[in-house]
Amino acid sequence: MKRRSTGSSRSQSASETVCGSRHPYSLLHVSVDLTGEEKMDAEIRSWLAFAVQKLSEIKVLAIALRQGRSAVADELADNRIALDSRRNSPRVNNPDCGLKTRQWSEVIPALTNIVSAARELRKQSG
């Protein structure tokens, strides 16, 4: 794709060339602050970052680059806890997604449980 000349002789950064914008990393379409999301489940909230939180993360990275990881050890530990929480959460990881690679002796009971649960929910909902 050919870029239009802006009449400026300055060279464009790689991000401008790739994204076609002077501000490709803006927070324009990001919600502002996660702390206002009081009704959101705490576990899920720990996995997210809105604009204020993203800026805080950038600050942590800048400190780590200048002063080393030990300067932000607590923040990195908190991040690791949130990552592990998401990685191991049944909300994100459905063990039944592996049905294609399981043996029939594992698949049939899992599917039976799913069908039973669906029938029970239908009874409850009328």
Side-chain angles (χ1 to χ4, degrees):
M1 183 165 104
K2 208 171 185 180
R3 299 219 14 118
R4 271 190 293 160
S5 172
T6 59
S8 171
S9 61
R10 73 169 180 80
S11 64
Q12 295 175 329
S13 70
S15 62
E16 288 177 333
T17 303
V18 172
C19 300
S21 168
R22 293 188 68 178
H23 307 287
Y25 308 114
S26 91
L27 299 173
L28 181 62
H29 298 291
V30 177
S31 296
V32 176
D33 193 357
L34 191 54
T35 57
E37 300 297 329
E38 296 166 359
K39 293 181 182 179
M40 185 182 295
D41 180 83
E43 181 184 36
I44 293 173
R45 192 171 48 239
S46 75
W47 304 339
L48 303 176
F50 290 0
V52 169
Q53 290 73 36
K54 289 176 186 288
L55 293 172
S56 295
E57 290 173 352
I58 292 170
K59 182 179 176 184
V60 168
L61 293 173
I63 292 169
L65 286 171
R66 283 193 305 262
Q67 300 173 21
R69 285 177 169 244
S70 60
V72 292
D74 292 341
E75 290 88 345
L76 293 176
D78 290 344
N79 183 258
R80 173 57 48 206
I81 290 168
L83 289 172
D84 289 343
S85 166
R86 186 175 192 283
R87 185 175 293 119
N88 298 315
S89 175
R91 292 173 159 173
V92 177
N93 301 293
N94 182 351
D96 290 327
C97 289
L99 291 175
K100 293 179 184 176
T101 59
R102 294 184 184 180
Q103 299 298 316
W104 282 110
S105 60
E106 298 172 280
V107 172
I108 291 172
L111 290 174
T112 301
N113 289 337
I114 291 170
V115 170
S116 296
R119 286 180 180 152
E120 185 62 33
L121 289 171
R122 283 188 193 122
K123 283 181 190 176
Q124 291 174 5
S125 65

